[in-house]
Structures are given as structure tokens and as C-alpha cells.
Amino acid sequence: MLDDEVRQIIAATRRFVRERVVPAEPTIDDTDAIPADLRREAAEMGLFGFAIPEEYGGLGLDMSAEVRLVFELGYTTPAFRSMFGTNNGIAGHVLLEGATEEQKKAYLPPIASGEWTASFALTEENAGSDPSGLTTAARRDGDGWVISGSKRFITNAPLADVFMVFARTDPDAAGARGITAFMVERGLPGLSIGPKDHKMGQAGAWTADVHLDDVRVPASTVIGGEEGVGRGYATAMRCLAHGRVHIAALCVGLSQRLLDESVSYAASRVQGGGVIGTHQLVQGLLADSATDLYAARALVTDVAARYDDGSDTRLGPSCAKYFASEAVGRIADRAVQIHGGAGYMHGVPVERFYRDARLFRIYEGTSQIQQIVIARELLRNAGVR
Ligand SMILES: Cc1cc2nc3c(=O)[nH]c(=O)nc-3n(C[C@H](O)[C@H](O)[C@H](O)COP(=O)(O)OP(=O)(O)OC[C@H]3O[C@@H](n4cnc5c(N)ncnc54)[C@H](O)[C@@H]3O)c2cc1C
């Protein structure tokens, strides 16, 4: 895609986020839902498929363009991005990374247009940071497969039309081996979705358990066809690496918003005859947040470029997600501090963002898991296995 077109998409998204979504934040928070008109307009703008290639109906942004777009999306409630985040990210990427050409042609267009919402169902009660321990099982039955097990904390599950389900197809293979990805459509007998989870933050973004009780699927739903059997774990890890750069960019966008809220409050709140921004200790908080933000944005931009040229698709994504998610946590904390008692009150954006930001250090690999990935990669390059 030409840079001019990318610039136009980013500019239109920036306008939409700031003029339409930011004013709707209190409604989204109160109703725990994204208004239908915002969903429709986001679909019309192509936001359900920005990371999906044009040949499958998406906008076809590469990672460098994607992070610039996500910097804009991150400026508002993360629930807005979450509505189409799984289509572009972890769920849509299961197809991009692992599906046959026939599957991509059949399934990616409705995902890119927003006609379908897709979910990524990997995590289980006893398989979170180490998903290789998952116990959801799929057994061959005639010309199809029968899947049983439970997934938890699955983003968009209450409204998903299709689930990328990871199941163990070889009970004798330990750990990561023997795991296969399936595309399971909503409405199949035996598939049920639990009640919406009550989360700490990110109101308007929904998660729930997904239960599979002898769900029968045809062989054509194995991602990658017969060759995809046993390759699900590797596919999941590639999707998560892409997702980590995306989440890091989201953290940068939210960091910018938190800094803007902080500066604006520091420049207007009067105490002791002057605005609080004249106090050097408040200035220190602002300076630390600006520095964190600058570093996170530069890191994410650099990691995206290396992801695009293929020189680093593992270490960089984990460094970016680790640093940017920890940074937005620090910036949110300082934003609440700068707001004083008001920062602790519902209805004030930084209070909401403080809770929203907490998730970024947890999902798509906790900070500890990013540390492990980074260190393992360094040591592998030094010949340590
Ligand atoms: C709102 C939300 C949305 C989510 N959406 C999805 C989704 O769409 N699809 C999906 O599949 N999953 C999803 N998840 C699951 C998410 O990816 C997991 O919660 C996350 O990976 C952590 O797993 P866990 O909760 O089981 O924690 P655990 O793995 O039990 O970790 C608990 C603590 O132990 C630490 N720990 C664990 N192992 C190690 C280790 N080896 N070394 C050091 N420390 C370790 C962790 O860092 C953490 O601090 C979502 C979760 C949330 C909260």
C-alpha cells in the first residue's frame, strides 16, 4: 500500500477516534458496550481488517503502518480497539499464519469486513502462561473430529461467530507437540459460551469461557488441512508475536492520552495561587511520563520495522510488549497522582485508564513471560539450548 493511502487511513482514524469515540467513552463505560453506530462506522472504515491483506478484503497494512494506526486507536478506551482487535490480531492471524489458501479465501473476507467476529481460544484453567499444557482434546471420528474441553478468558467470546480453538490431537505427544488449531463456528451442537466475566477494567470489551462438549467438526476446519495437524502450537506462537507488537503500540497510544490528560490538568488546576504544573515535583512526574512515552514509541517503531523485514520476529516483539506495557502502567499511575483526589474518582478518564492499562501486563504473555522469551532468545543466540 502506498504511503499516501496509509497516511489517509491513519488521519481518518485519528479524526474518528477523537471526534466520535472519545466523547462516547462515558457511555461505553456505563453501558459496558460499544454503540452500534460506532461498530458500523468502524467496519465501513475497514478497521476490522486493517492487518489482513487486500486480496482477502482487508486494508493490508504491514507492521510499520499497523503500529502507526494503533497509536491512534490506543488514544481512547481500549474496548474500542478490542472490538476488532481479535479479527486483525490473534484470531485472524491464525488463518494468515496457518491456513490453506482455500481456507483463507473462504474465511478471511467475512472477518476483514466485520461480518464475523473471530475469537482466539487458547487459554484454559490450567494452561495460561504455559499453554503447551492445554488439555482440550480432539479425536478423529469418521471424516471429522470431535472436540471436548473448556477455554477461559476468551476475548469477544460472547459475540464471536467463529473461534480458533487449540486442541490436543495427539494424546501421546507431550507439551507443545500434538496441538492442532481448529476453526469452530458458533451454533454447533455442544458449543456453549459462559456468562460475561466481570473484569477490573476495559468495560465494553467482553470475555467469557468457551465450553466444548463433544463438538463435531469436519476435517476441513483443521487450520492448514491435514498438514496442519500437530502444528497448532507453532501457529499460536507466531500469532502471539505479531499480537505483542500490536499491544505495545496500543500502550503507546494510551500513554499519549494519559500524558495529554496529565498536562492539561497540571496546566489548569490551581493550588496555592498558581497552577500545579509550576511545582517542580509535578514537573518531574510529567517529564518521567514523557520520557517513558518517547522511549516506548521509538522502540515499537523500530521493532515494527524489523518485524517487516523479517530480521526479528521474536525478541523485539517481546521487548516492545514488556517495555510499553510496563511504561503505560507507570504513566497511568503518575496521571492519577497528578490529578490528586480527582484521579481516584469514577468519571475522571485517568481513573478508568489506570484500571484499563493493568491488563496490558497480563494478556498475550505476562511481563514475566516476555522476560523469559527475551532471555531465552539471547541465550539461544549464544548457543545455549
Ligand atoms: C481480559 C483478558 C482477556 C484475555 N483474552 C484471551 C483470549 O482472547 N484468548 C486466550 O486464549 N487467552 C486470553 N486471555 C488469557 C491470558 O492470555 C492469560 O490470562 C495470561 O496468559 C496469563 O495466564 P494465567 O491467567 O493462567 O496466569 P498464570 O499463568 O497462572 O500466571 C500467574 C502468575 O505466574 C507467573 N508465571 C507463570 N509462569 C511463569 C514462569 N514460567 N516464570 C515466571 N513467572 C511465571 C505469571 O507471570 C503471573 O504473574 C485473556 C485474559 C484476560 C485477563
Side-chain angles (χ1 to χ4, degrees), residues 156-367:
N156 285 333
L159 39 88
D161 301 278
V162 66
F163 299 86
M164 307 299 157
V165 173
F166 294 84
R168 190 167 295 287
T169 42
D170 182 352
D172 300 324
R177 288 178 296 124
I179 292 173
T180 301
F182 293 85
M183 211 194 75
V184 179
E185 287 185 39
R186 191 186 200 86
L188 287 179
L191 180 77
S192 60
I193 314 301
K196 259 194 293 174
D197 296 322
H198 292 286
K199 308 193 311 316
M200 176 194 286
Q202 302 210 2
W206 298 346
T207 63
D209 288 359
V210 176
H211 304 289
L212 300 112
D213 184 11
D214 281 345
V215 177
R216 198 168 202 296
V217 293
S220 60
T221 62
V222 172
I223 304 294
E226 193 54 36
E227 279 184 23
V229 174
R231 298 209 174 151
Y233 191 80
T235 302
M237 292 305 113
R238 288 198 300 276
C239 295
L240 286 170
H242 172 272
R244 284 165 186 166
V245 188
H246 177 104
I247 296 295
L250 194 59
C251 293
V252 170
L254 186 55
S255 296
Q256 181 68 64
R257 173 70 181 280
L258 284 158
L259 183 61
D260 289 354
E261 296 282 346
S262 300
V263 171
S264 144
Y265 195 79
S268 57
R269 169 75 177 161
V270 175
Q271 279 299 285
V275 293
I276 58 167
T278 56
H279 298 302
Q280 289 184 344
L281 294 178
V282 175
Q283 291 173 0
L285 295 170
L286 292 174
D288 285 353
S289 289
T291 307
D292 265 339
L293 167 60
Y294 208 133
R297 187 187 288 114
L299 171 62
V300 172
T301 305
D302 186 68
V303 164
R306 288 169 194 266
Y307 189 94
D308 280 335
D309 71 20
S311 59
D312 179 10
T313 55
R314 277 181 68 82
L315 185 130
S318 280
C319 290
K321 204 257 180 185
Y322 178 39
F323 184 82
S325 64
E326 294 282 340
V328 73
R330 292 190 293 272
I331 294 170
D333 189 69
R334 292 185 201 112
V336 169
Q337 197 65 21
I338 289 166
H339 280 69
Y344 199 67
M345 296 296 150
H346 283 297
V348 175
V350 297
E351 181 275 337
R352 175 162 36 82
F353 291 136
Y354 177 81
R355 288 180 288 108
D356 292 346
R358 192 62 187 84
L359 179 58
F360 296 131
R361 284 186 266 164
I362 296 172
Y363 71 176
E364 302 206 19
T366 63
S367 289

Side-chain angles (χ1 to χ4, degrees), residues 135-139 146-150 167 212-215:
T135 57
T136 292
R139 62 181 158 79
V146 175
I147 312 176
S148 283
S150 282
L212 300 112
D213 184 11
D214 281 345
V215 177

